[in-house]
Amino acid sequence: MSNMDFSTSIRYVKTFNDGTKVVADSCGQNSWGSTEQESYDGAIADFVAEGGVAEDILCIETIDMRD
């Protein structure tokens, strides 16, 4: 397996300082992995490092790029 077999993205609600809310996606540099779990863990770590909080997450999707 290569280190880019799986990719995880997180869809979440982003709230701006003025209260405006938008739906956004997070696909950080660590969201790629050689296993599904590695990709998932990396995506969560990137999301949290960017200031994301669990309450804002709408869905998390991991794609097997080998298919």
Side-chain angles (χ1 to χ4, degrees):
M1 272 196 252
S2 75
N3 64 354
M4 298 180 82
D5 289 336
F6 295 89
S7 176
T8 300
S9 63
I10 299 173
R11 181 163 286 184
Y12 65 100
V13 175
K14 178 175 178 70
T15 305
F16 292 96
N17 291 336
D18 67 359
T20 302
K21 295 183 181 209
V22 297
V23 175
D25 288 304
S26 174
C27 292
Q29 67 181 5
N30 294 312
S31 65
W32 290 92
S34 58
T35 66
E36 186 174 357
Q37 188 65 52
E38 181 180 61
S39 173
Y40 180 90
D41 291 346
I44 293 292
D46 285 347
F47 180 73
V48 170
E50 294 170 1
V53 293
E55 293 81 20
D56 293 338
I57 294 174
L58 300 172
C59 66
I60 301 173
E61 179 179 29
T62 301
I63 297 171
D64 185 343
M65 301 300 286
R66 298 171 300 172
D67 292 341

